[in-house]
C-alpha cells in the first residue's frame, strides 16, 4: 500500500514526441506534486533498454562475488584526482557496502574491470543511456517549474561531473542493517535501479516508505541543487537504504550533476520576481561537495555533524 504513494510516470509520449497534450499535462501535474512534497517518483518507458538493465545487474553481481584481491585490481589509480574504480566503505563507517564508481566514458579517469568480460562495455552503455534519461527528466522538470525553454539544459550543459555507481550492500546482521544513512543527494537528479532485494526508502509525511523494486522501473529523486535553484519549491528527497537480512542487495545509481565551478543560488524566478526572500546562500557546487565529503568521511562524525544543505540555509528568525 505504501508504495502507491510513489507515482510512476510513463515517459514514452516524450521520447516519441507524441502530440498528446492531456497526457503531458497529467505528467506535469504528477511530477510537480511529487517534487513539491518530497522529491521522489518513478519512470517507465524511459529509453534505457530493459535487457541492458538486466544484464548490468547480472554482471554486477558476478563482479562483486569475486574474491577481494580480484576486485582490488580495479582500485583507483594512485594519485588520481577522482576515486574511479573499486571502493569499499571504511571500517568505521556505519554503511556496510562496496561499490564501483564510474565517470563519463571519455573522461580518462575510469578503472573498469576486464572480468567479467562484458562488464566494462555494459557499464559504458548504461552510463550513456542514463545520461540521456537524465536530460529528458531535466527537460520535464524545466517545464514543470515554468522556466524558459531549455533554461536548465543551458545552465547545466556540462556533463563532465556526472558519475555512476554499481553498488553491493552486505546482508544485514541481527544488530544492524544500515546500508546508506538518511540523507539527501547534493546533485540535480539521481536515477536508481535496485534488484529484487529492495531496501530503498523515502521519507514522506513523517514515515519511511519502501520503494518496492519492479522490473523496468527507474527511481528518480531530486537533489539539493534543484532545491536551492527553486528556493525550495521542489524538495530534495530524503532517503536511505536498509540492508535486507540473509541476502545481499545490488543497485545502480546515476548522478546527473553540475560542473564543480557552477554557482548555485535561488533563481530570481522563485525569489524577487514573485516577492519571496531567498532561503539559501549561494555557493560553488564543488565547495558544497567538499564539505559534504569531508564531514561524512571523518571517523568521529556524528549524524548531526554531517553537512547537509541546511548548512547554507538563511535563517528567517
Amino acid at each position: 500500500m505504501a508504495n502507491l504513494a510513489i507515482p510512476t510516470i510513463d515517459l514514452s509520449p516524450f521520447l516519441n514526441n507524441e502530440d498528446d497534450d492531456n497526457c503531458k499535462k497529467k505528467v506535469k501535474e504528477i511530477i510537480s506534486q511529487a517534487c513539491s512534497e518530497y522529491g521522489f517518483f518513478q519512470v517507465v518507458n524511459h529509453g534505457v533498454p530493459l535487457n541492458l538493465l538486466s544484464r548490468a545487474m547480472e554482471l554486477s553481481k558476478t563482479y562483486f562475488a569475486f574474491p577481494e584481491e580480484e576486485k582490488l585490481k580495479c582500485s583507483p589509480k594512485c594519485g588520481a584526482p577522482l576515486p574511479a574504480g573499486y571502493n569499499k566503505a571504511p571500517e568505521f563507517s556505519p554503511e556496510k557496502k562496496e561499490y564501483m564508481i564510474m565517470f563519463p566514458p571519455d573522461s580518462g579517469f575510469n578503472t573498469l574491470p576486464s572480468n567479467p568480460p562484458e562488464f566494462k562495455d555494459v557499464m559504458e552503455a548504461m552510463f550513456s543511456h542514463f545520461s540521456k534519461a537524465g536530460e529528458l527528466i531535466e527537460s520535464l522538470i524545466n517545464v514543470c517549474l515554468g522556466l524558459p525553454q531549455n533554461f536548465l539544459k543551458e545552465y547545466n550543459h556540462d556533463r563532465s561531473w556526472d558519475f555512476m555507481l554499481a553498488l553491493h550492500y552486505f546482508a544485514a546482521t541481527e544488530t544492524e542493517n544500515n546500508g546508506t544513512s538518511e540523507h539527501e543527494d547534493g546533485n540535480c537528479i539521481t536515477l536508481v535501479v535496485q534488484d529484487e532485494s529492495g531496501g530503498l526508502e523515502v521519507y514522506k509525511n513523517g514515515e519511511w516508505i519502501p520503494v518496492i523494486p519492479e522490473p523496468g522501473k527507474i527511481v528518480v529523486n531530486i537533489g539539493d541543487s534543484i532545491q536551492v535553484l527553486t528556493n525550495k519549491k521542489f524538495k530534495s528527497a530524503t532517503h536511505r537504504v536498509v540492508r535486507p537480512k540473509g541476502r545481499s542487495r545490488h543497485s545502480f545509481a546515476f548522478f546527473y550533476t553540475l560542473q564543480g565551478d557552477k554557482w548555485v543560488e535561488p533563481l530570481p524566478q522563485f525569489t524577487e520576481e514573485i516577492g519571496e526572500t531567498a532561503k539559501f546562500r549561494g555557493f560553488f557546487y564543488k565547495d558544497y561537495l567538499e564539505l559534504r565529503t569531508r564531514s561524512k568521511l571523518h571517523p568521529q562524525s556524528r549524524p548531526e555533524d554531517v553537512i547537509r544543505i541546511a548548512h547554507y540555509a538563511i535563517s528567517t528568525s
Side-chain angles (χ1 to χ4, degrees):
M1 183 66 115
N3 192 50
L4 296 177
I6 301 171
T8 298
I9 296 163
D10 185 348
L11 297 184
S12 57
F14 303 93
L15 278 176
N16 303 326
N17 294 316
E18 296 175 8
D19 295 324
D20 189 339
D21 291 338
N22 287 334
C23 175
K24 292 181 178 180
K25 180 182 177 183
K26 184 64 175 175
V27 165
K28 177 181 174 181
E29 291 172 353
I30 294 171
I31 292 178
S32 296
Q33 182 177 356
C35 292
S36 297
E37 292 181 359
Y38 59 108
F40 244 72
F41 56 95
Q42 300 178 103
V43 293
V44 294
N45 297 320
H46 35 63
V48 184
L50 301 189
N51 60 343
L52 178 64
L53 291 175
S54 176
R55 186 62 177 149
M57 195 67 74
E58 180 184 340
L59 291 169
S60 182
K61 290 180 179 182
T62 299
Y63 172 77
F64 285 116
F66 286 153
E68 186 151 319
E69 58 266 26
E70 179 68 23
K71 292 180 286 191
L72 287 172
K73 292 177 182 178
C74 290
S75 295
K77 298 172 185 174
C78 183
L82 295 170
Y86 173 77
N87 296 263
K88 193 173 184 178
E91 286 299 320
F92 63 77
S93 173
E95 303 179 353
K96 308 303 180 187
K97 62 188 177 185
E98 57 184 350
Y99 53 94
M100 172 72 65
I101 184 169
M102 176 186 178
F103 295 93
D106 59 355
S107 66
F109 295 127
N110 292 319
T111 305
L112 295 173
S114 56
N115 189 22
E118 293 177 64
F119 199 24
K120 176 178 181 294
D121 290 343
V122 166
M123 288 274 283
E124 291 179 346
M126 285 275 284
F127 198 105
S128 175
H129 282 288
F130 273 140
S131 181
K132 291 174 183 175
E135 288 182 19
L136 175 58
I137 292 165
E138 180 184 65
S139 71
L140 293 177
I141 290 171
N142 193 97
V143 170
C144 292
L145 290 169
L147 291 168
Q149 187 174 6
N150 293 327
F151 180 92
L152 289 178
K153 181 178 181 179
E154 292 167 6
Y155 171 79
N156 185 24
H157 66 280
D158 189 329
R159 303 266 52 84
S160 63
W161 279 53
D162 293 349
F163 65 99
M164 182 174 74
L165 298 178
L167 293 131
H168 170 222
Y169 294 84
F170 303 107
T173 68
E174 291 299 322
T175 57
E176 54 84 30
N177 64 358
N178 185 19
T180 299
S181 303
E182 171 187 337
H183 69 289
E184 299 80 37
D185 294 340
N187 58 314
C188 293
I189 302 163
T190 305
L191 309 178
V192 174
V193 177
Q194 53 179 347
D195 72 357
E196 63 280 359
S197 298
L200 179 62
E201 297 183 350
V202 57
Y203 193 71
K204 180 177 184 283
N205 297 334
E207 294 184 54
W208 286 104
I209 302 173
V211 183
I212 309 301
E214 295 184 48
K217 286 189 178 181
I218 294 178
V219 180
V220 179
N221 70 263
I222 301 301
D224 291 336
S225 296
I226 294 293
Q227 175 167 288
V228 172
L229 289 171
T230 65
N231 206 34
K232 217 170 181 179
K233 178 180 174 66
F234 278 8
K235 307 296 192 300
S236 183
T238 301
H239 55 290
R240 68 183 183 185
V241 173
V242 176
R243 288 156 37 226
K245 284 186 178 179
R247 63 190 304 182
S248 295
R249 175 190 187 265
H250 294 81
S251 64
F252 282 89
F254 181 86
F255 297 87
Y256 190 87
T257 190
L258 293 167
Q259 196 273 343
D261 290 324
K262 182 63 69 174
W263 181 256
V264 185
E265 67 179 352
L267 295 170
Q269 290 93 332
F270 306 106
T271 52
E272 60 257 35
E273 290 184 11
I274 59 172
E276 294 281 345
T277 57
K279 294 180 172 66
F280 300 96
R281 293 180 287 117
F283 54 87
F284 287 107
Y285 183 66
K286 63 183 178 183
D287 293 341
Y288 180 40
L289 284 190
E290 184 180 354
L291 279 175
R292 282 170 58 104
T293 302
R294 189 189 309 157
S295 70
K296 187 172 183 180
L297 293 181
H298 194 281
Q300 306 305 319
S301 287
R302 299 170 300 168
E304 58 268 30
D305 294 331
V306 174
I307 294 292
R308 296 165 90 157
I309 201 59
H311 178 76
Y312 292 96
I314 296 174
S315 175
T316 56
S317 59

